[in-house]
Amino acid sequence: MEFSHIPVLLNETIEGLNIKPDGIYIDGTVGGGGHSSQIAERLSSKGKLIGIDQDKDALDASKKRLEKYGDIVSLVRSNYCEIDTILRDLNIEKVDGILLDIGVSSYQLDNAERGFSYMMDADLDMRMDQRQSLTAKKVVNEYSESELFHIIKVYGEDRFAKNIAKHIVAYRKNKTIETTGELAGIIKGAIPMKMQKNGNPSKKTFQAIRIEVNSELKVLEETIDRMIERLNPGGRLCIITFHSLEDRIVKNKFKENENPCTCPPDFPVCVCGKKSKGKVVTRKPIVPSKEEIEENSRAKSSKLRIFERC
């Protein structure tokens, strides 16, 4: 299957990066190279683009798309949380911009073999990096009922998390849960029919399991501070999110880096010594236009937030 993914908020993101022709930029979730190709297009021969992705299929696709830009592009198979190691290996200290387009790609959803989608029956997998050992199959068959409840409740924000976890554990007593179709059927049986009118009942649980398999929220939360530290003065970090859990992390982390002071509000002067790392460019997130949503329905929940280093 050809790697296909329509980049969301493309113009807004490129504008937000405020690209300098001779600058160094990182696309931490390069995917099929949609955003990256537009960054590279704006760079001179002295510029540099580093594309990072843990998905081999994504890197193969982006390599083809970006090969015309030659040596200004470097592609690395890794997780963006390894940014310090990646930059050290490339002998780069600071960069002028970083982009993260968080979440699952259209290719990963539409390729049944990857086991991300509840719309197609396939082996349960959901790994963005197929080198790792933890899969969705392991999560649903080996996690305890309380662990399943926790991830479905917290990562899926599903009000029926307790009942879904209970049904998963009851089902697997008789048979290992092998496929996405099996899991979707179990979830459907755990949710009252009258509550299944507004969208597929599996959506939240599949999201929760995918987040758990790929440690998505943990990686995001633990990496933002280090990315901001890697920016040159005036450099920007642009992050596109697709659900409230991600967006909340980005919003709070940006706010903390803009105003890290921990002194009580009634102190006349700051004594904690923590200095601002920069400013939040987007007081409210940038969202897609009506026209973009009509062209690409998967852009509907996307939000872009931007931070600028001082």
Side-chain angles (χ1 to χ4, degrees), residues 149-161 204-205 207-208 211 243-246 248:
F149 164 71
H150 175 76
I151 66 171
I152 297 168
K153 178 72 173 177
V154 176
Y155 297 159
E157 299 181 297
D158 197 315
R159 59 186 289 198
F160 298 105
K204 293 180 178 180
T205 297
Q207 171 185 293
I211 289 172
H243 58 74
S244 60
L245 297 172
E246 296 168 339
R248 195 177 306 132

Side-chain angles (χ1 to χ4, degrees), residues 19-226:
I19 297 169
K20 302 173 184 177
D22 296 345
I24 302 173
Y25 294 87
I26 295 175
D27 185 343
T29 48
V30 70
H35 288 104
S36 278
S37 62
Q38 292 303 308
I39 297 172
E41 194 69 36
R42 289 160 174 78
L43 296 179
S44 72
S45 60
K46 296 179 180 178
K48 184 73 175 176
L49 170 65
I50 304 159
I52 304 168
D53 210 295
Q54 56 190 336
D55 190 321
K56 182 180 181 298
D57 293 339
L59 280 183
D60 289 344
S62 59
K63 183 178 180 180
K64 289 181 181 179
R65 188 166 190 171
L66 300 171
E67 63 182 355
K68 65 180 180 180
Y69 299 105
D71 293 341
I72 70 168
V73 176
S74 293
L75 297 176
V76 183
R77 187 179 182 187
S78 186
N79 189 298
Y80 64 80
C81 68
E82 299 295 332
I83 182 171
D84 293 326
T85 301
I86 293 167
L87 290 180
R88 185 186 66 226
D89 291 345
L90 293 170
N91 295 312
I92 295 171
E93 183 63 30
K94 301 280 187 177
V95 301
D96 298 292
I98 302 172
L99 164 64
L100 296 180
D101 180 359
I102 305 299
V104 64
S105 70
S106 297
Y107 169 83
Q108 290 165 334
L109 284 172
D110 295 339
N111 186 347
E113 294 178 1
R114 300 298 296 272
F116 282 97
S117 177
Y118 46 79
M119 303 295 289
M120 300 173 283
D121 193 25
D123 283 348
L124 273 167
D125 194 326
M126 301 193 195
R127 292 173 296 173
M128 292 181 179
D129 186 343
Q130 293 181 302
R131 297 170 299 183
Q132 73 177 46
S133 59
L134 183 62
T135 64
K137 187 180 294 185
K138 284 191 175 184
V139 170
V140 298
N141 286 292
E142 297 179 14
Y143 276 32
S144 67
E145 184 173 333
S146 62
E147 288 172 326
L148 288 170
F149 164 71
H150 175 76
I151 66 171
I152 297 168
K153 178 72 173 177
V154 176
Y155 297 159
E157 299 181 297
D158 197 315
R159 59 186 289 198
F160 298 105
K162 188 172 184 179
N163 207 35
I164 294 169
K166 181 179 179 181
H167 275 64
I168 289 172
V169 171
Y171 184 97
R172 75 189 193 194
K173 286 180 180 178
N174 300 312
K175 181 187 179 301
T176 299
I177 304 169
E178 300 279 355
T179 70
T180 54
E182 277 184 283
L183 179 59
I186 295 165
I187 296 166
K188 186 174 182 180
I191 297 177
M193 284 299 297
K194 63 181 180 179
M195 303 304 297
Q196 298 186 29
K197 297 177 181 180
N198 299 320
N200 195 299
S202 298
K203 182 177 181 179
K204 293 180 178 180
T205 297
F206 270 64
Q207 171 185 293
I209 294 170
R210 190 201 81 219
I211 289 172
E212 172 67 15
V213 168
N214 298 288
S215 302
E216 293 175 40
L217 299 183
K218 181 181 179 183
V219 167
L220 178 63
E221 188 161 24
E222 292 180 352
T223 309
I224 291 176
D225 291 346
R226 289 189 285 117

Side-chain angles (χ1 to χ4, degrees), residues 191-293:
I191 297 177
M193 284 299 297
K194 63 181 180 179
M195 303 304 297
Q196 298 186 29
K197 297 177 181 180
N198 299 320
N200 195 299
S202 298
K203 182 177 181 179
K204 293 180 178 180
T205 297
F206 270 64
Q207 171 185 293
I209 294 170
R210 190 201 81 219
I211 289 172
E212 172 67 15
V213 168
N214 298 288
S215 302
E216 293 175 40
L217 299 183
K218 181 181 179 183
V219 167
L220 178 63
E221 188 161 24
E222 292 180 352
T223 309
I224 291 176
D225 291 346
R226 289 189 285 117
M227 287 191 160
I228 290 173
E229 286 286 349
R230 285 290 187 170
L231 292 172
N232 281 318
R236 290 185 168 187
L237 172 57
C238 295
I239 303 182
I240 301 170
T241 61
F242 287 86
H243 58 74
S244 60
L245 297 172
E246 296 168 339
D247 183 59
R248 195 177 306 132
I249 290 172
V250 176
K251 178 183 177 180
N252 291 339
K253 280 292 182 182
F254 281 7
K255 185 178 179 181
E256 289 170 12
N257 278 275
E258 181 179 57
N259 182 20
C261 178
T262 55
C263 297
D266 56 348
F267 272 32
V269 294
C270 173
V271 295
C272 73
K274 295 182 178 179
K275 304 296 183 183
S276 174
K277 300 289 178 62
K279 66 178 181 180
V280 178
V281 177
T282 47
R283 291 301 163 187
K284 290 185 178 180
I286 298 170
V287 297
S289 65
K290 180 181 177 182
E291 291 74 20
E292 180 173 3
I293 294 171

